[in-house]
Amino acid sequence: MKINHNYQKLPGSYLFSTIAKKVAAYGKEHPEAEIIRLGIGDVTLPIAPSIVKAMHEAVEEMGHAETFRGYAPDLGYDFLREAIAKTDYQRLGCEVFADEIFISDGAKCDCGNIQELFSAEAKIAVCDPVYPVYVDSNVMAGRTGEWDETFGRWSNVIYLPCTKENGFVPELPKETPDLIYLCNPNNPTGTTLNREQLKVWVDYANAHDAVIMYDAAYEAYIQEEDVPHSIFAIDGARSCAVEFRSFSKNAGFTGVRLGFTVIPKELVREGVSLHSMWARRHGTKYNGAPYIQQKAGLAVYGDEGQREIREQIRYYMRNAKVIYEGLKKLGYEVFGGVNSPYVWLHTGERSSWEFFDELLDKAHVVGTPGSGFGPEGEHYFRLTGFGSYENTVRAVERMKGL
């Protein structure tokens, strides 16, 4: 018997698991410390009332023979797929249809699983820094080569630096990738690509037969008009892009689990439809998101649900503004916080983990070291607006003493 030794190539544990262990150990040693957590991107507001009501109604349905539901359709219930297509896409002028939407239990799983559609020889390009699941899932598949401890890079990954020097806009690579991972708004930097900048990548992907993996988990937080809410707002994207969406951050479903992936039928490589391949994978490996969650998802698109989640988004964005403006007044160099609940600050000469330890020890505030998102994240640090307003204000106040 042999195991998949690619797993052994992964350096250390998953970023947020490491943070949780460090915080737990510190809390045990300092039980008097009142720790404020602004690290992991988990929401804190309760699920909106109209959505909770829909969940209650769905639970009640499951208790009666005439309305009981068993296995969900593996691709998702039509009522939810049609609501998504109409509200998230067609209303904004994007050509996306209900049967191109695949309902799942979250964008993280889909972002990690999508690589199964491609050969082990496929070369990936990732923004640096960016959400670690993109790279880690390709490591597990044996696609990334060898780990270079000195530079914190994989030998067979194309890195697209996103730094303050280039305005956090990735430049086209010299080496041609097969798969291009874009996260917009970006996690962790909170920065965005506008319509013109996305068009460059769509044209590049179509010209080089590449596929864009577009993570739009934070699109609901976009405030500026020139930042598209979907890659499919860009001409040509239907022939080169896959889009991932989540209910976790726009509707507080981190503990409920619901998301979806859009694969247009025009997306064909080597004469094969990726839409058909993903449908086959979905049907083989997934039994469908639960009915109760999908009914909750439908409530998100109701008039009351839309009003409620917009209020929650405003709440979190106010927190991001408190962090951004507060740290700027303290002399920090900060980015993001405009189209995203994340604020990305420069730690100066201190490494990102040194800053983590100092912030935890002296201010009892938890954030996320930038180096965990890629080598270009070193000397940066992510703080999230997903905490409570009161704790956010207190955290910024505590940082004055650093």
Side-chain angles (χ1 to χ4, degrees), residues 227-247:
V227 179
H229 287 258
S230 169
I231 189 71
F232 300 116
I234 308 300
D235 290 340
R238 285 184 57 85
S239 58
C240 71
V242 173
E243 181 166 294
F244 308 97
R245 291 278 192 103
S246 170
F247 286 81

Short mmCIF file of all heavy atoms in Angstrom, two decimals, residues 227-247:
data_model
loop_
_atom_site.label_atom_id
_atom_site.label_comp_id
_atom_site.label_asym_id
_atom_site.label_seq_id
_atom_site.Cartn_x
_atom_site.Cartn_y
_atom_site.Cartn_z
N VAL A 227 -15.49 48.31 -10.77
CA VAL A 227 -15.05 46.96 -10.40
C VAL A 227 -16.21 46.01 -10.66
O VAL A 227 -17.24 46.07 -9.98
CB VAL A 227 -14.63 46.90 -8.92
CG1 VAL A 227 -14.19 45.48 -8.56
CG2 VAL A 227 -13.51 47.90 -8.64
N PRO A 228 -16.09 45.11 -11.63
CA PRO A 228 -17.19 44.20 -11.97
C PRO A 228 -17.50 43.23 -10.84
O PRO A 228 -16.60 42.82 -10.10
CB PRO A 228 -16.68 43.45 -13.20
CG PRO A 228 -15.57 44.29 -13.74
CD PRO A 228 -14.95 44.96 -12.56
N HIS A 229 -18.76 42.86 -10.72
CA HIS A 229 -19.17 41.88 -9.72
C HIS A 229 -18.98 40.45 -10.22
O HIS A 229 -19.09 39.51 -9.43
CB HIS A 229 -20.63 42.10 -9.33
CG HIS A 229 -20.83 43.31 -8.47
ND1 HIS A 229 -21.03 43.24 -7.11
CD2 HIS A 229 -20.85 44.63 -8.78
CE1 HIS A 229 -21.16 44.47 -6.61
NE2 HIS A 229 -21.06 45.32 -7.61
N SER A 230 -18.69 40.30 -11.50
CA SER A 230 -18.51 38.97 -12.08
C SER A 230 -17.52 39.04 -13.24
O SER A 230 -17.47 40.04 -13.96
CB SER A 230 -19.85 38.41 -12.57
OG SER A 230 -19.66 37.25 -13.37
N ILE A 231 -16.78 37.98 -13.44
CA ILE A 231 -15.89 37.90 -14.60
C ILE A 231 -16.71 37.87 -15.88
O ILE A 231 -16.25 38.29 -16.94
CB ILE A 231 -14.99 36.64 -14.51
CG1 ILE A 231 -13.92 36.63 -15.59
CG2 ILE A 231 -15.82 35.36 -14.60
CD1 ILE A 231 -12.83 37.64 -15.39
N PHE A 232 -17.98 37.43 -15.78
CA PHE A 232 -18.82 37.33 -16.97
C PHE A 232 -19.40 38.68 -17.39
O PHE A 232 -20.16 38.75 -18.36
CB PHE A 232 -19.90 36.28 -16.75
CG PHE A 232 -19.33 34.92 -16.48
CD1 PHE A 232 -19.53 34.28 -15.26
CD2 PHE A 232 -18.55 34.29 -17.44
CE1 PHE A 232 -18.97 33.04 -15.00
CE2 PHE A 232 -17.99 33.04 -17.20
CZ PHE A 232 -18.20 32.42 -15.97
N ALA A 233 -19.02 39.73 -16.68
CA ALA A 233 -19.32 41.08 -17.15
C ALA A 233 -18.31 41.52 -18.22
O ALA A 233 -18.47 42.58 -18.84
CB ALA A 233 -19.28 42.06 -15.98
N ILE A 234 -17.27 40.71 -18.43
CA ILE A 234 -16.23 41.01 -19.40
C ILE A 234 -16.46 40.21 -20.67
O ILE A 234 -16.64 38.98 -20.63
CB ILE A 234 -14.83 40.66 -18.82
CG1 ILE A 234 -14.63 41.31 -17.45
CG2 ILE A 234 -13.74 41.07 -19.79
CD1 ILE A 234 -14.70 42.82 -17.43
N ASP A 235 -16.46 40.88 -21.81
CA ASP A 235 -16.63 40.20 -23.10
C ASP A 235 -15.54 39.15 -23.29
O ASP A 235 -14.35 39.43 -23.09
CB ASP A 235 -16.57 41.22 -24.24
CG ASP A 235 -17.79 42.12 -24.29
OD1 ASP A 235 -18.83 41.74 -23.70
OD2 ASP A 235 -17.70 43.21 -24.90
N GLY A 236 -15.96 37.96 -23.69
CA GLY A 236 -15.01 36.89 -23.96
C GLY A 236 -14.81 35.94 -22.80
O GLY A 236 -14.18 34.88 -22.96
N ALA A 237 -15.36 36.26 -21.63
CA ALA A 237 -15.10 35.43 -20.44
C ALA A 237 -15.78 34.06 -20.53
O ALA A 237 -15.29 33.10 -19.94
CB ALA A 237 -15.55 36.15 -19.18
N ARG A 238 -16.88 33.98 -21.27
CA ARG A 238 -17.61 32.70 -21.30
C ARG A 238 -16.80 31.59 -21.95
O ARG A 238 -17.06 30.42 -21.72
CB ARG A 238 -18.94 32.88 -22.04
CG ARG A 238 -19.98 33.61 -21.22
CD ARG A 238 -21.33 33.67 -21.96
NE ARG A 238 -21.84 32.37 -22.31
CZ ARG A 238 -22.56 31.60 -21.49
NH1 ARG A 238 -22.83 32.01 -20.26
NH2 ARG A 238 -23.00 30.42 -21.89
N SER A 239 -15.81 31.93 -22.73
CA SER A 239 -15.00 30.89 -23.38
C SER A 239 -13.70 30.60 -22.64
O SER A 239 -12.90 29.79 -23.12
CB SER A 239 -14.68 31.30 -24.83
OG SER A 239 -14.00 32.55 -24.85
N CYS A 240 -13.49 31.24 -21.47
CA CYS A 240 -12.20 31.02 -20.81
C CYS A 240 -12.27 31.02 -19.29
O CYS A 240 -11.23 30.89 -18.64
CB CYS A 240 -11.17 32.07 -21.26
SG CYS A 240 -11.50 33.74 -20.63
N ALA A 241 -13.46 31.19 -18.67
CA ALA A 241 -13.49 31.40 -17.22
C ALA A 241 -14.49 30.52 -16.50
O ALA A 241 -15.55 30.16 -17.04
CB ALA A 241 -13.77 32.86 -16.91
N VAL A 242 -14.12 30.17 -15.26
CA VAL A 242 -14.99 29.51 -14.28
C VAL A 242 -15.10 30.46 -13.10
O VAL A 242 -14.11 31.07 -12.70
CB VAL A 242 -14.38 28.17 -13.81
CG1 VAL A 242 -15.20 27.57 -12.68
CG2 VAL A 242 -14.24 27.20 -14.98
N GLU A 243 -16.31 30.63 -12.55
CA GLU A 243 -16.49 31.56 -11.43
C GLU A 243 -17.02 30.82 -10.20
O GLU A 243 -17.94 30.01 -10.30
CB GLU A 243 -17.44 32.69 -11.81
CG GLU A 243 -17.64 33.71 -10.69
CD GLU A 243 -18.29 34.99 -11.18
OE1 GLU A 243 -17.64 35.71 -11.97
OE2 GLU A 243 -19.45 35.27 -10.81
N PHE A 244 -16.43 31.17 -9.05
CA PHE A 244 -16.84 30.59 -7.77
C PHE A 244 -17.51 31.67 -6.93
O PHE A 244 -17.00 32.79 -6.81
CB PHE A 244 -15.63 30.05 -7.01
CG PHE A 244 -14.78 29.11 -7.83
CD1 PHE A 244 -13.65 29.55 -8.50
CD2 PHE A 244 -15.13 27.77 -7.95
CE1 PHE A 244 -12.87 28.70 -9.26
CE2 PHE A 244 -14.36 26.90 -8.71
CZ PHE A 244 -13.23 27.36 -9.37
N ARG A 245 -18.63 31.32 -6.33
CA ARG A 245 -19.35 32.24 -5.45
C ARG A 245 -19.69 31.55 -4.13
O ARG A 245 -19.77 30.32 -4.06
CB ARG A 245 -20.65 32.72 -6.10
CG ARG A 245 -20.48 33.64 -7.30
CD ARG A 245 -20.24 35.07 -6.88
NE ARG A 245 -20.36 35.98 -8.02
CZ ARG A 245 -21.40 36.76 -8.27
NH1 ARG A 245 -22.45 36.75 -7.45
NH2 ARG A 245 -21.43 37.55 -9.32
N SER A 246 -19.92 32.35 -3.11
CA SER A 246 -20.17 31.83 -1.77
C SER A 246 -21.30 32.60 -1.11
O SER A 246 -21.48 33.79 -1.36
CB SER A 246 -18.90 31.97 -0.93
OG SER A 246 -19.15 31.69 0.42
N PHE A 247 -22.07 31.92 -0.26
CA PHE A 247 -23.06 32.59 0.59
C PHE A 247 -22.47 32.91 1.97
O PHE A 247 -23.15 33.49 2.80
CB PHE A 247 -24.28 31.68 0.77
CG PHE A 247 -25.17 31.59 -0.44
CD1 PHE A 247 -24.86 30.73 -1.48
CD2 PHE A 247 -26.33 32.34 -0.53
CE1 PHE A 247 -25.67 30.62 -2.60
CE2 PHE A 247 -27.17 32.24 -1.63
CZ PHE A 247 -26.83 31.39 -2.67
#
